[in-house]
Amino acid sequence: MNLERIPNEEKLGLSRRYYLGGFAFLPFLWLVNVLWFFREAFLKPTYTEQPQIKSYVKKSALGLIVWVAVLTTWITIFQHFRAQWGEVGDYLSFTIPLGTA
Amino acid sequence: KNCVSGGPAPDENSSMSRVMCVSAAAGVLSSSVEQKIYVELNETVPCVRLLNATHQIGCQSSISGDTGVLHVLETESDLDWILSSGPHPPYMVIMETAFFNRSVMMRMKNSSRVAGVAVIVSKTGLADNFSPHTTCPNQNTGVYSASYGSDLANCNVTMWNPLGNGLSYEDFAFPVFALKDENQTQVIRKCYQDHNLRVNGSAPQYPLCAMQLFSHMHAATDTVTCMRRTDLQNRFSINPEVLCDPLSDFNVWTSTRPLNNSAKGHAANESVVIAATRLDGRSFFWEQAPSAEGTVSGIVTLLATIQALSPVTQEAPPPRNIFFSFFQGEAFDYIGSSKMVYDMERNDFVIDLNNVHSMLEIGQVGLRRGRSLWMHSDPRKLSLFSHPSVSQPLPPSSFQRFLRVRGIPGLVLADHNTSFNNRYYESLYDDAENLNVTYPPDLSPDEQLVYETDAAKSLAEVATLVARSLYIQAGGEKKNLNNITADPKIWFLHQHVSDCVRLLWFLGSGPPQFYIGLGPRIHGPVHSVTRFVQYILANLTGTVTNLTESQCQNPSEVNTENKDLFSYFWVSGPASVNNTGEPFCRSASVRLSKAVSPAFELLEYGSPNYSIIPQSRWKSIRARIFPMLTLGVGVAVLLLSLLVTYFISSKAELLFSSARETPATTY
């Protein structure tokens, strides 16, 4: 979808939907929101809806950073300690690599 | 090649056939390219991974195989080259026999420059002794523990296998294969000499000869983990992967008076003398266990005993029954005997422990010094002989599992007083040569079968002794003893099969291997050696019946036959001059009983009381050698091909301008 060709109210509506949708444990919606609307929010000349779009993009970016931090921490811990956790590690795993601890 | 044949064809057909021609040619070319690069090594034997309650033992490779530059380990300087100074690590070590010992293997294990080891199995350069087993076999699952005979436990008094280096119980992170075929070893050596030899101390240049070994094992850590993961896979996965299997097979048993197989538990009015031996062995490598002194000496002696006793027990039966048993899996913490004792305790076997009067076990009896034979008993119990002069524990034997549960009087016969005489205990080299089985050089294989070697005569002596002792122990009369003698010609287990036995389809060429394995095998549900002993026993103790084939398979329909007391075998007769080898039905009181550790039935995978040794599963095991080129050559080829592709695509109209006009018809 080309953002050039849709009216500003629709752009605002899109950004809001992506922002709200991300709260349903969908951080990729926030990622898309940030990447897609970044130019609209910060690089285009000002128009009426822009401050609201800017706030949605900023809040999405914040949420995204929190998610990335949490996921990175958990993945690091799991990869490092899964073998040591023995039974708990096996029950938490979806696939267990063959032949290694 | 045969694509450009035939006359002109209609347009559609010719372009179609042209397409098929090109793809067929491409198919043929691609498989031969692989054959031009890789030489598959078929006659190799891997070392696989086994688990126990706390450790993993054996060898593991990466999932896509381990590759290394070949280097033959013949001298000490080769060892330095591999471990520190060679410029092309990691190396794939081709190890001469003399270097396959604990110190070298431990150095390989601790080095990061070794990708794998291929051991040349031969007698040249073999050390005076080599036993990869532990020094105190089965020390935690015998009868001596902290609560019973703690001063005798853990080989405090006698180290049974002092030459053991424990290699079979180490964990290697690289694959170790055995090269058994001399011709294949020559191919590998030639590849090494052509490409990898050092010239005047300087490093060899690329292309080098490399080898790749695949033996990726699924199991890891220990038995509890492996069985838990298998369980999780079976419950939650769409395509379950089994990670490991418990070692299992069958014990073989028979008795002089048939026992009712469908009546489990205590057998009324039966007092039984058990004569037992083991049926299995192991070595460092998978499914290799020639086990001549360790196992075959006992099996042959017990078979000769049974043959010697069968006429007398028919004519003058002793008051007590004699129960002969061949236990499978004893190398791995007494799998077979612990299962039989467990079944007896739970009244799930034809007799129970109250029926057992005494027990005589035949241990390793092949390497007697002179004419001596030693009888071992448990110093804690009242033994058959009331003057124990030395307080020495029992050697590792199935009898210990019976003693754990009930104080049955018993003896273990062996050719050794203190430590084993066997210098190659549980190794690849415990073969006929270890038993000094030699023939005069001019005998044909058939003549060799009936030739009485010294080893055969020695074992026949032991068998005569055992048979007579068993007869007396069973309450038989002394006057019949002189009729009991064993025949030295029973010694054929080590040779290629005779006509009669050849009909048992499973035995291939080479000596039989006694590793317990996993039960279902290529040639049938039962291990070949187990089947072998079963059929030989049926031959020795059974009677010929005149049932037809269908009656033989369903004997309950015939009222003269009793399926509870006998089992029925449809066998082919011996082929000879006046006998065409017609098949017939033989009935014998020989049975198989399942030999799998009770821990796997009780689902107690960490149990210290029973054997918990499963074998890992794997997907593929193979080995291959190929010439290895540098990365630079590969990159150069890539760039060249990109260049050529660019050139062709830019000049495409010029090169492909002779296209025909497209026909109007559709295909």
Side-chain angles (χ1 to χ4, degrees):
Chain A
M1 185 192 282
N2 194 350
L3 278 181
E4 305 293 330
R5 286 197 243 146
I6 49 178
N8 291 340
E9 307 84 48
E10 270 194 51
K11 285 186 214 169
L12 179 61
L14 262 179
S15 188
R16 181 193 296 125
R17 273 198 290 265
Y18 270 83
Y19 167 68
L20 293 176
F23 280 105
F25 292 91
L26 298 170
F28 268 103
L29 290 184
W30 283 340
L31 177 67
V32 169
N33 205 8
V34 166
L35 292 178
W36 201 17
F37 284 96
F38 187 79
R39 176 174 289 201
E40 285 293 323
F42 295 101
L43 300 179
K44 283 267 168 67
T46 323
Y47 53 89
T48 6
E49 289 83 358
Q50 201 193 45
Q52 279 181 293
I53 294 182
K54 204 186 282 193
S55 90
Y56 284 141
V57 168
K58 281 193 210 163
K59 284 189 264 190
S60 298
L62 183 66
L64 183 67
I65 290 172
V66 168
W67 264 98
V68 166
V70 167
L71 278 180
T72 310
T73 314
W74 166 245
I75 290 171
T76 314
I77 293 177
F78 184 72
Q79 292 292 339
H80 195 73
F81 290 109
R82 178 191 63 82
Q84 296 165 25
W85 285 343
E87 198 171 342
V88 173
D90 283 348
Y91 285 125
L92 281 176
S93 304
F94 183 68
T95 53
I96 306 174
L98 296 174
T100 58
Chain B
K1 299 178 197 115
N2 52 3
C3 284
V4 267
S5 64
D11 271 359
E12 318 77 273
N13 283 352
S14 77
S15 46
M16 195 70 125
S17 62
R18 225 172 275 211
V19 166
M20 289 192 334
C21 183
V22 166
S23 50
V28 165
L29 277 176
S30 62
S31 68
S32 74
V33 163
E34 182 174 6
Q35 281 161 14
K36 280 188 183 140
I37 301 178
Y38 296 106
V39 176
E40 293 285 334
L41 305 172
N42 292 327
E43 302 293 323
T44 53
V45 181
C47 140
V48 299
R49 180 174 272 178
L50 298 157
L51 304 169
N52 73 7
T54 46
H55 290 89
Q56 55 190 28
I57 60 181
C59 318
Q60 167 76 303
S61 85
S62 323
I63 196 161
S64 53
D66 280 307
T67 314
V69 172
L70 274 185
H71 198 84
V72 175
L73 177 52
E74 292 167 305
T75 60
E76 279 296 323
S77 63
D78 286 322
L79 198 55
D80 286 323
W81 183 261
I82 291 168
L83 294 176
S84 44
S85 51
H88 309 295
Y91 282 98
M92 189 62 74
V93 181
I94 308 292
M95 195 181 268
E96 293 281 357
T97 318
F99 281 88
F100 188 44
N101 53 37
R102 187 179 175 87
S103 63
V104 172
M105 287 301 284
M106 285 294 128
R107 287 176 72 180
M108 301 267 161
K109 178 178 168 175
N110 293 330
S111 159
S112 59
R113 292 165 52 105
V114 174
V117 173
V119 181
I120 298 177
V121 176
S122 78
K123 292 296 175 94
T124 55
L126 178 60
D128 177 56
N129 61 76
F130 178 72
S131 170
H133 210 73
T134 49
T135 51
C136 193
N138 292 346
Q139 69 187 72
N140 296 322
T141 41
V143 67
Y144 302 109
S145 61
S147 53
Y148 178 89
S150 54
D151 50 327
L152 302 170
N154 299 325
C155 292
N156 268 338
V157 173
T158 310
M159 189 67 71
W160 295 110
N161 188 26
L163 302 168
N165 54 31
L167 271 182
S168 293
Y169 289 84
E170 290 289 334
D171 180 30
F172 292 100
F174 50 77
V176 180
F177 277 52
L179 304 170
K180 292 184 74 176
D181 183 23
E182 185 52 42
N183 294 338
Q184 202 162 78
T185 314
Q186 261 320 100
V187 168
I188 298 176
R189 276 194 216 269
K190 186 159 179 336
C191 189
Y192 169 72
Q193 273 150 9
D194 289 343
H195 299 108
N196 293 19
L197 267 186
R198 283 182 274 167
V199 182
N200 297 337
S202 69
Q205 296 299 315
Y206 280 100
L208 297 171
C209 197
M211 183 151 87
Q212 190 172 23
L213 297 177
F214 297 79
S215 67
H216 179 71
M217 301 287 132
H218 291 180
T221 324
D222 55 35
T223 306
V224 178
T225 307
C226 185
M227 300 307 288
R228 176 180 67 229
R229 288 181 185 178
T230 305
D231 214 26
L232 282 173
Q233 287 274 346
N234 283 335
R235 274 194 279 160
F236 296 120
S237 176
I238 304 170
N239 238 351
E241 289 269 8
V242 177
L243 274 67
C244 52
D245 303 290
L247 294 169
S248 83
D249 193 58
F250 292 88
N251 300 323
V252 184
W253 64 264
T254 182
S255 52
T256 50
R257 280 204 305 268
L259 292 164
N260 188 348
N261 198 33
S262 51
K264 308 279 184 193
H266 186 77
N269 301 330
E270 282 282 357
S271 176
V272 156
V273 178
I274 299 182
T277 188
R278 62 186 287 196
L279 191 51
D280 77 319
R282 68 162 302 186
S283 75
F284 184 77
F285 299 99
W286 178 59
E287 291 242 308
Q288 303 301 304
S291 234
E293 152 75 345
T295 304
V296 178
S297 61
I299 296 178
V300 171
T301 307
L302 195 58
L303 286 177
T305 305
I306 295 172
Q307 187 194 39
L309 272 176
S310 57
V312 176
T313 49
Q314 301 295 326
E315 295 160 8
R320 296 193 191 96
N321 205 347
I322 309 180
F323 180 90
F324 301 99
S325 178
F326 295 80
F327 291 117
Q328 182 70 274
E330 302 299 275
F332 295 102
D333 288 339
Y334 306 120
I335 295 177
S337 52
S338 64
K339 173 77 167 116
M340 188 177 275
V341 171
Y342 178 73
D343 284 344
M344 283 184 184
E345 283 183 291
R346 290 182 324 151
N347 291 330
D348 201 13
F349 195 63
V350 293
I351 53 175
D352 73 353
L353 289 161
N354 293 325
N355 288 120
V356 177
H357 170 265
S358 50
M359 183 159 169
L360 178 64
E361 179 168 346
I362 304 178
Q364 304 181 70
V365 292
L367 289 174
R368 295 163 61 202
R369 299 213 170 105
R371 301 193 63 192
S372 61
L373 188 68
W374 297 91
M375 291 179 273
H376 296 263
S377 66
D378 181 25
R380 297 277 167 135
K381 290 278 187 262
L382 195 63
S383 65
L384 294 175
F385 299 88
S386 49
H387 308 289
S389 52
V390 168
S391 178
Q392 180 176 257
L394 283 170
S397 51
S398 318
F399 178 44
Q400 289 199 21
R401 293 299 304 195
F402 283 79
L403 273 186
R404 264 173 88 114
V405 176
R406 192 71 68 93
I408 305 170
L411 284 184
V412 177
L413 295 180
D415 53 23
H416 55 90
N417 181 12
T418 49
S419 314
F420 294 156
N421 288 344
N422 191 357
R423 295 192 323 278
Y424 298 100
Y425 183 62
E426 311 282 36
S427 83
L428 268 183
Y429 304 107
D430 186 8
D431 54 10
E433 224 175 286
N434 190 26
L435 278 180
N436 298 325
V437 174
T438 50
Y439 297 95
D442 51 346
L443 289 187
S444 73
D446 283 338
E447 285 171 356
Q448 279 182 358
L449 272 174
V450 294
Y451 179 77
E452 295 179 18
T453 58
D454 289 336
K457 289 187 202 156
S458 166
L459 289 179
E461 253 182 13
V462 178
T464 307
L465 168 71
V466 172
R468 292 182 183 181
S469 316
L470 282 175
Y471 189 70
I472 300 216
Q473 188 66 4
E477 294 176 33
K478 287 209 169 74
K479 63 179 167 64
N480 295 323
L481 277 188
N482 286 334
N483 300 336
I484 305 178
T485 39
D487 182 5
K489 291 197 194 48
I490 194 112
W491 178 258
F492 55 76
L493 261 184
H494 245 288
Q495 314 311 317
H496 299 267
V497 298
S498 69
D499 279 339
C500 172
V501 181
R502 197 173 280 137
L503 300 164
L504 310 175
W505 26 251
F506 44 75
L507 279 181
S509 62
Q513 305 294 343
F514 292 83
Y515 179 68
I516 172 177
L518 300 175
R521 281 154 196 268
I522 306 174
H523 296 295
V526 167
H527 185 18
S528 60
V529 166
T530 313
R531 196 59 98 185
F532 188 35
V533 171
Q534 183 192 22
Y535 275 75
I536 293 201
L537 276 180
N539 195 0
L540 292 176
T541 61
T543 50
V544 179
T545 66
N546 48 9
L547 299 179
T548 62
E549 183 173 358
S550 57
Q551 284 175 330
C552 197
Q553 275 148 9
N554 294 317
S556 42
E557 297 164 10
V558 185
N559 32 14
T560 48
E561 305 300 337
N562 189 340
K563 199 159 70 81
D564 291 331
L565 293 180
F566 299 99
S567 38
Y568 294 85
F569 303 90
W570 183 250
V571 292
S572 192
S576 61
V577 177
N578 47 6
N579 191 343
T580 50
E582 287 295 318
F584 62 96
C585 188
R586 186 181 273 281
S587 80
S589 60
V590 177
R591 302 255 181 212
L592 298 178
S593 83
K594 191 108 181 88
V596 65
S597 171
F600 289 101
E601 289 184 11
L602 294 168
L603 303 181
E604 289 169 13
Y605 302 124
S607 165
N609 298 324
Y610 299 110
S611 161
I612 24 124
I613 302 186
Q615 179 183 280
S616 168
R617 255 211 212 179
W618 55 83
K619 286 233 167 59
S620 88
I621 290 191
R622 54 200 177 100
R624 55 189 188 181
I625 57 174
F626 57 95
M628 186 190 254
L629 305 169
T630 53
L631 188 59
V633 172
V635 170
V637 168
L638 175 68
L639 289 177
L640 184 65
S641 60
L642 286 175
L643 216 63
V644 169
T645 311
Y646 173 71
F647 176 71
I648 291 181
S649 79
S650 64
K651 300 274 191 281
E653 312 84 46
L654 216 61
L655 291 169
F656 299 117
S657 60
S658 58
R660 301 158 290 155
E661 336 57 274
T662 52
T665 55
T666 52
Y667 296 97

